[in-house]
Amino acid sequence: MLATLCQYESMLGPYRPQTLYLLTKVAGACFQVGEFDFARPLLERAVRDTGKYLGYTHDLRMRAIADLRDLATAQGEYDRAEVLQAELRQLAPHTMVLQ
């Protein structure tokens, strides 16, 4: 998946919806397998870039924030996780992705 992400960034550009979708998926997969140091910068980039190019309340951005919150919790960064959860709660009326 990482090689595909690099190809998408090269061929389509880093801010195309397809690239941002794959970026978020790769970051989430890295988090799920415990590659926290690799996942964090990808998730932070996904949150920043999806917000800038797809919209602040885009479902993909919300998913990246939720994964970043879970990563912060897994690493014992509870203050950071609380801030991310507050952002999700604030944006929840604008999206249907989170339950």
Side-chain angles (χ1 to χ4, degrees), residues 4-60:
T4 304
L5 175 60
C6 291
Q7 270 190 321
Y8 275 35
E9 288 178 336
S10 175
M11 293 172 49
L12 302 174
Y15 309 117
R16 300 285 298 178
Q18 301 91 332
T19 306
L20 293 171
Y21 174 80
L22 188 57
L23 169 66
T24 304
K25 291 305 234 179
V26 168
C30 290
F31 166 63
Q32 292 298 320
V33 298
E35 292 289 336
F36 297 159
D37 292 337
F38 195 71
R40 179 180 297 274
L42 292 177
L43 286 168
E44 290 172 346
R45 184 176 145 208
V47 170
R48 181 192 69 223
D49 291 350
T50 55
K52 186 173 181 180
Y53 295 98
L54 299 180
Y56 191 69
T57 60
H58 195 278
D59 289 350
L60 196 55

